Amino acid sequence: MKRLLGILIFITITILSIACGHPEPLTKTAVVMDTVVTLEAEDGEREQAVEEGMAYLQRIDALASQNEGSDLEALRHAAGNGQWVEISPEVFEMLEISQEWAAKTDGAFDVTVGPVVWLWGIGTEYANVPNDAELAEARSHVGWQKLELDKQTTSARLTEPGMRLHLGAIAKGYAIDGLRAIFEKHHVKNALVSLGGSSIYAFGENPKGKPWRIGIRHPRSEDAKEYLAVAPLSDAALSSSGDYERYFEQDGVRYHHIFDPKTGRPATSGVLGVTVVAQGDHAGTLTDILTTTLFVMGEEKGKAFLENSGIEASALFITQDGSTFHFTAAQSGNAPAMRDVLTDVSQTVEWK
């Protein structure tokens, strides 16, 4: 399965708004950060916002990718030799935030999982199920405590050879926050930014003058327009992770791209998907991190973690029993209850 085709087919969330009664929004779509990006702005200095936004995404992509010349590749090449590598402020900030979350989640969120991600190759033409020896070797190079940061010099180092970082669980959310700042600088009040459909920020109202309607993808349908519920969204971020985004099947088993750092295998928490909504300056980063973290933790542990965290966020867990999908919601702080927010809930869904 080709990567881009997979992105288009298995896109997590469908944007359901239809333009009507408002000026035609300016929309630009491109493939950046290994996903399909759509920037849509209706007002303000929209041309400048969209162009600057795309340039910003390309910069983040160049810095945080696995490509030669990126900060991550520089760190990989220097792994284990004791050398500090000066990195960009953006990547340093992502690593700093990631380390904080690794500590508070007991390693459920861990950006040093790169060797495992690379070994499995999910989402590429090299996807495979590694043998036990290969997996043990990759896991031996994983551990957030082996990543060191020096804030004074914005430098980092990996303490053991064979280590590599992977920012797939934070980079898009971090970029969403950057886009939000750019759009606000250009006085855009009604807009939507979508990175692959799995990380979204909605500004103000949609072209119909109402909150943006974001569809929660049916986790077992290949039709990207089939959804289980709709989340109205305004001045908030929404991120989603699921076992249906990037995966392959072998001998009747589905192997997806969300790894449990402690096992080195795709997380088997019983959850098919997690959607998180939050507001605030860092809502994109927060929701992106939380979807991965809660997926790895699973419904029971993840729900307890969020409810006791004090973080302003709401989460939706999706599980399946036969042909019935179960929704479980959790929230913390003053975040609205997901159960009260969702509309057009499918008849195949039951609340737990």
Side-chain angles (χ1 to χ4, degrees):
M1 178 176 60
K2 298 296 185 182
R3 179 181 292 270
L4 180 55
L5 180 59
I7 293 169
L8 292 170
I9 292 176
F10 299 109
I11 191 166
T12 310
I13 301 169
T14 305
I15 302 167
L16 303 171
S17 63
I18 301 175
C20 180
H22 276 223
E24 187 71 21
L26 173 66
T27 303
K28 187 169 185 177
T29 300
V31 177
V32 189
M33 298 183 70
D34 200 24
T35 196
V36 179
V37 170
T38 301
L39 305 184
E40 179 177 334
E42 184 178 319
D43 51 15
E45 300 166 349
R46 60 184 194 171
E47 292 87 357
Q48 295 95 318
V50 169
E51 290 303 318
E52 187 176 334
M54 280 296 184
Y56 169 78
L57 290 176
Q58 289 166 355
R59 169 175 166 77
I60 296 298
D61 189 19
L63 295 172
S65 73
Q66 305 290 327
N67 297 330
E68 201 64 39
S70 71
D71 285 353
L72 299 197
E73 277 299 280
L75 285 166
R76 183 179 73 85
H77 287 308
N81 68 7
Q83 175 185 348
W84 287 93
V85 178
E86 186 174 355
I87 55 180
S88 66
E90 295 92 340
V91 171
F92 187 89
E93 186 175 18
M94 279 189 263
L95 295 184
E96 196 171 36
I97 294 169
S98 296
Q99 291 296 81
E100 292 172 2
W101 276 87
K104 71 172 65 174
T105 62
D106 190 28
F109 185 87
D110 188 347
V111 295
T112 70
V113 76
V116 167
V117 175
W118 191 263
L119 175 66
W120 284 81
I122 295 176
T124 76
E125 58 185 312
Y126 307 108
N128 74 107
V129 179
N131 61 43
D132 290 344
E134 292 171 330
L135 191 56
E137 169 65 17
R139 284 181 58 207
S140 71
H141 301 305
V142 175
W144 64 273
Q145 299 93 337
K146 302 174 185 178
L147 165 63
E148 298 180 347
L149 302 176
D150 183 344
K151 190 163 188 155
Q152 288 188 332
T153 61
T154 61
S155 298
R157 66 180 174 185
L158 300 171
T159 62
E160 294 182 5
M163 293 185 68
R164 66 192 308 161
L165 302 179
H166 192 276
L167 298 180
I170 184 175
K172 288 195 292 185
Y174 181 88
I176 286 284
D177 292 331
L179 289 171
R180 177 174 178 253
I182 290 169
F183 275 47
E184 289 181 346
K185 180 182 71 174
H186 290 290
H187 314 294
V188 175
K189 298 189 178 186
N190 299 302
L192 190 74
V193 298
S194 171
L195 275 59
S198 61
S199 292
I200 286 176
Y201 193 89
F203 298 78
E205 300 176 337
N206 69 13
K208 295 178 69 174
K210 297 180 179 180
W212 296 89
R213 288 167 52 82
I214 310 300
I216 308 301
R217 168 76 190 273
H218 188 301
R220 288 298 178 264
S221 174
E222 293 189 5
D223 182 359
K225 295 183 179 180
E226 186 174 356
Y227 55 93
L228 293 181
V230 174
L233 201 67
S234 180
D235 296 320
L238 181 150
S239 292
S240 208
S241 290
D243 68 355
Y244 46 85
E245 294 177 292
R246 294 185 183 182
Y247 70 94
F248 72 98
E249 293 184 353
Q250 183 172 311
D251 300 326
V253 178
R254 177 182 295 234
Y255 298 97
H256 58 81
H257 74 301
I258 307 172
F259 293 97
D260 183 341
K262 294 182 179 179
T263 66
R265 299 179 181 276
T268 55
S269 61
V271 175
L272 275 62
V274 177
T275 295
V276 179
V277 175
Q279 294 180 304
D281 290 343
H282 305 291
T285 303
L286 174 63
T287 57
D288 200 10
I289 289 174
L290 275 174
T291 55
T292 298
T293 300
L294 299 180
F295 190 101
V296 171
M297 287 182 171
E299 180 183 346
E300 183 177 348
K301 186 177 178 181
K303 187 172 181 284
F305 172 82
L306 181 61
E307 291 176 344
N308 296 323
S309 68
I311 299 164
E312 300 269 329
S314 298
L316 178 74
F317 298 84
I318 303 174
T319 56
Q320 185 179 17
D321 179 12
S323 60
T324 301
F325 295 92
H326 294 288
F327 281 1
T328 303
Q331 75 239 43
S332 182
N334 296 316
M338 188 73 80
R339 184 167 186 167
D340 297 334
V341 168
L342 293 183
T343 63
D344 299 333
V345 178
S346 169
Q347 292 183 351
T348 64
V349 168
E350 288 184 358
W351 283 94
K352 291 174 65 178

